[in-house]
Amino acid sequence: LAQRSAEGIAVYPAGHEQEISGRLAMMGRLRQAIEQGQLEMVCQPKVDMRTRSAFGAEALVRWRDPQLGAIAPSVFIPLAEQGGMISAITEWMVHAAFRQVHDWQRDGNPASLSVNLSAHDIQNPAFIDRIHRLALALAIPDNSIQFELTESALMDDPDTAMQSLARLSDMGFEIWIDDFGTGYSSLSYLQRFPIHAIKIDQSFVRLMSVSSGSSAIVHATIDLGHHLGLYVVAEGVEDQAAWSCLAAQGCDVAQGYFVAKPMPVSQFNNWKTSWNKA
Ligand code: C2E
Ligand code: CA
Ligand code: CA
Ligand code: CA
């Protein structure tokens, strides 16, 4: 696409140039938002499918820029990964999640939180050290934090990932595999890594009722997980039909709009109390 100008400088068509400068501008604003503490943590409830009780939530990051408005994580997380900012976001989220779990525990309302980690995070032993220190300082109880990782994040550098996961697991954190079934990796890692649960990708869950292929993948994933002694979580559970189908197959945990959309942490406690009463 690039053409050479008379001076030999690469000239890009206007659209491309605009796209690059737009992305650079967004990266700059994101960097500022991180430095100034303008990110927000919201949480989406997770429910035990057998007892119907809400026991925790997934922590999800939100960014609202004063000029650009709300920007979706599917847009800015990849930018943060490219721009070397992802670990700053993860650390901010880990801090927020640890403080929240600590407060819930202190107030007699214990609940767990899942935090998303990126490939870059688990390639960095110093990051794992910082998580460890923070967990000790806040006396985070065992099994009250789950770290969600995609298969591709693990496969980036499996040896280093293995060391990081072993350490996190020793610290009492659970490891959940996110977007399971979309990573094109071999399944042997499920035995080698200290994994507690797999999360069936929401694309399969959403298509389950209309696609026999997706339905077969959901079924097989639940069986595979259980045969390996893992919990199986379904995300993207949007209606009663999906819930009933998953419950009939013995899926352990559900997350999705049918239960609740992501909400400010300040609302979670009230939501949980009324859900568990109903
Ligand atoms: P994810 O980790 O797979 O998170 C689930 C996404 O699905 C969330 O989108 C959630 O709002 C959405 N979702 C949940 N239930 C339903 C449902 O029933 N139907 C539909 N259509 N969607 C549902 P969100 O918050 O926009 O996040 C998108 C992705 O951005 C996440 O996918 C994750 O990969 C990334 N992300 C979000 N927060 C963080 C974070 O703090 N750190 C990192 N590294 N990544 C994050
Ligand atoms: Ca996730
Ligand atoms: Ca997911
Ligand atoms: Ca995802």
Side-chain angles (χ1 to χ4, degrees), residues 20 33 36 44 48 55 58 74 88 103 124 152 245 269-270 274:
I20 291 179
Q36 299 174 355
Q44 185 180 33
D48 180 318
F55 63 93
E58 175 173 9
S74 56
D103 289 355
N124 180 6
S152 42
C245 183
N269 245 329
N270 282 339
S274 57

Side-chain angles (χ1 to χ4, degrees), residues 58 116 148 178-180 199-202 235:
E58 175 173 9
N116 292 283
E148 296 191 1
D178 207 352
D179 304 347
F180 184 80
K199 268 184 114 162
I200 311 172
D201 189 64
Q202 50 181 289
E235 65 177 355

Side-chain angles (χ1 to χ4, degrees), residues 4-278:
R4 296 279 151 188
S5 72
E7 296 81 20
I9 297 165
V11 179
Y12 293 90
H16 190 76
E17 202 169 76
Q18 267 168 16
E19 191 195 310
I20 291 179
S21 65
R23 277 157 38 105
L24 283 176
M26 196 182 271
M27 273 197 198
R29 300 195 71 93
L30 178 57
R31 185 162 283 121
Q32 221 172 30
I34 297 168
E35 280 162 7
Q36 299 174 355
Q38 289 167 356
L39 299 178
E40 195 200 341
M41 178 174 85
V42 294
C43 63
Q44 185 180 33
K46 294 175 303 201
V47 170
D48 180 318
M49 293 195 83
R50 255 172 298 273
T51 62
R52 270 190 108 258
S53 80
F55 63 93
E58 175 173 9
L60 295 159
V61 68
R62 291 293 177 264
W63 173 34
R64 173 176 289 281
D65 182 87
Q67 267 137 59
L68 303 172
I71 297 152
S74 56
V75 172
F76 73 82
I77 293 290
L79 272 188
E81 281 171 339
Q82 288 156 26
M85 294 178 272
I86 190 63
S87 288
I89 294 180
T90 305
E91 277 206 62
W92 189 85
M93 289 293 284
V94 168
H95 273 249
F98 279 18
R99 274 196 304 268
Q100 193 58 62
V101 161
H102 170 89
D103 289 355
W104 283 334
Q105 177 81 16
R106 181 202 55 201
D107 300 341
N109 262 319
S112 71
L113 277 177
S114 307
V115 180
N116 292 283
L117 298 186
S118 286
H120 191 260
D121 302 321
I122 52 166
Q123 302 305 334
N124 180 6
F127 170 75
I128 309 292
D129 293 340
R130 287 197 290 279
I131 288 187
H132 195 186
R133 279 197 295 275
L134 191 62
L136 292 175
L138 290 174
I140 299 297
D142 280 4
N143 305 100
S144 58
I145 293 285
Q146 298 97 19
F147 285 118
E148 296 191 1
L149 279 148
T150 61
E151 296 167 283
S152 42
L154 294 183
M155 293 309 146
D156 227 30
D157 174 354
D159 292 336
T160 311
M162 179 64 170
Q163 282 165 23
S164 298
L165 263 51
R167 291 185 61 199
L168 291 171
S169 179
D170 285 347
M171 294 171 201
F173 301 122
E174 296 184 3
I175 310 294
W176 288 16
I177 301 301
D178 207 352
D179 304 347
F180 184 80
T182 62
Y184 310 109
S185 65
S186 94
L187 294 173
S188 60
Y189 78 92
L190 288 175
Q191 285 177 287
R192 286 185 287 121
F193 287 69
I195 292 162
H196 292 75
I198 52 183
K199 268 184 114 162
I200 311 172
D201 189 64
Q202 50 181 289
S203 60
F204 304 121
V205 175
R206 252 182 288 137
L207 290 174
M208 201 169 45
S209 59
V210 292
S211 147
S212 57
S214 294
S215 159
I217 290 173
V218 169
H219 214 119
T221 304
I222 294 172
D223 281 353
L224 173 73
H226 287 166
H227 279 112
L228 289 169
L230 305 173
Y231 286 100
V232 181
V233 183
E235 65 177 355
V237 181
E238 291 189 347
D239 49 36
Q240 176 71 56
W243 173 286
S244 304
C245 183
L246 291 159
Q249 293 177 41
C251 186
D252 302 290
V253 175
Q255 187 182 339
Y257 294 173
F258 180 61
V259 175
K261 290 196 172 181
M263 60 185 80
V265 248
S266 59
Q267 285 173 19
F268 177 71
N269 245 329
N270 282 339
W271 178 89
K272 181 161 74 91
T273 306
S274 57
W275 171 276
N276 286 343
K277 241 187 264 162

